[in-house]
Amino acid sequence: RLFINQPEHGALVSELGPYGTPVRSFGELRRTGQEADRNVHLAMNVGLPLPDPTGGYYFVFLAGVPMFRKYDARGALVFERHIEGPEVDQYLRTLPTRWPTRRTDDGEVLPIVPPAVRTAAVDREGRLWIALMPTPVTYVYDAVGDKVRTVQFRGAGILTPNSLFFTRDGRIFVTPGCYEFKVP
């Protein structure tokens, strides 16, 4: 199965079968205060659907007020948490109420909504790792949604992860650079 985010279809997560056939959708779009501007509202409901190896799914919102949700295997909401910490304070202070726009090659006018989250992944124990923008910090949340750790990866300098991958033997690969670390 493939899990993708298509908020324009009215749900956060769309599950697709082997040939791209829709199987189900779940996850109510969050309220953004921007419902009158459909494109901004949808942009603030863009995110990463992440299967949890211990069961269920996480959904991490990429823009707007930083937050994530946990869903059970049936797609029912288990909890919702705001992503908070000194590393996101500046982003929240400067979050606009009106967004600049750009015109696509097709002539469509779209809002420019900067992300708060660069990437996210779930480790083998069901902990959610969220790499923030623009600061090179990753927050780690446990299975009940509590922040348990703040991590800064160092390779040939401080890394700002673009992707995180967890191995079966307790290591994490971080790009750029394909650095390998032992998961604490």
Side-chain angles (χ1 to χ4, degrees):
R1 305 271 182 201
L2 178 64
F3 296 87
I4 62 173
N5 172 237
Q6 294 179 305
E8 65 276 13
H9 290 249
L12 293 175
V13 181
S14 296
E15 182 179 353
L16 306 178
Y19 299 101
T21 307
V23 174
R24 66 178 173 149
S25 295
F26 62 90
E28 184 177 318
L29 299 182
R30 70 173 169 172
R31 294 186 188 280
T32 63
Q34 300 296 321
E35 286 77 5
D37 185 333
R38 183 175 192 272
N39 287 331
V40 172
H41 178 64
L42 292 176
M44 290 189 179
N45 277 286
V46 168
L48 300 172
L50 302 167
D52 178 354
T54 65
Y57 310 91
Y58 286 101
F59 185 85
V60 179
F61 294 91
L62 296 181
V65 175
M67 62 191 308
F68 65 93
R69 290 180 181 168
K70 171 73 181 207
Y71 294 92
D72 66 16
R74 295 182 333 267
L77 181 64
V78 176
F79 61 77
E80 176 180 273
R81 300 285 188 269
H82 285 262
I83 299 169
E84 297 178 354
E87 294 83 5
V88 295
D89 288 347
Q90 179 63 24
Y91 172 85
L92 288 171
R93 272 194 299 275
T94 60
L95 194 62
T97 54
R98 292 180 188 252
W99 282 261
T101 59
R102 68 174 174 80
R103 187 171 301 279
T104 68
D105 292 340
D106 297 335
E108 186 176 11
V109 177
L110 295 174
I112 300 170
V113 180
V117 172
R118 181 178 293 271
T119 192
V122 183
D123 68 19
R124 302 270 178 217
E125 287 76 39
R127 292 178 298 223
L128 176 62
W129 296 60
I130 300 174
L132 303 172
M133 289 280 292
T135 181
V137 171
T138 301
Y139 288 166
V140 183
Y141 293 87
D142 65 15
V144 295
D146 292 330
K147 184 166 58 169
V148 295
R149 183 173 292 120
T150 301
V151 177
Q152 191 169 60
F153 296 101
R154 294 178 185 271
I158 298 172
L159 300 174
T160 302
N162 287 333
S163 69
L164 307 166
F165 176 79
F166 298 93
T167 66
R168 289 189 178 112
D169 63 351
R171 294 176 294 141
I172 180 174
F173 289 110
V174 177
T175 65
C178 203
Y179 287 95
E180 176 183 343
F181 302 94
K182 181 149 178 60
V183 176

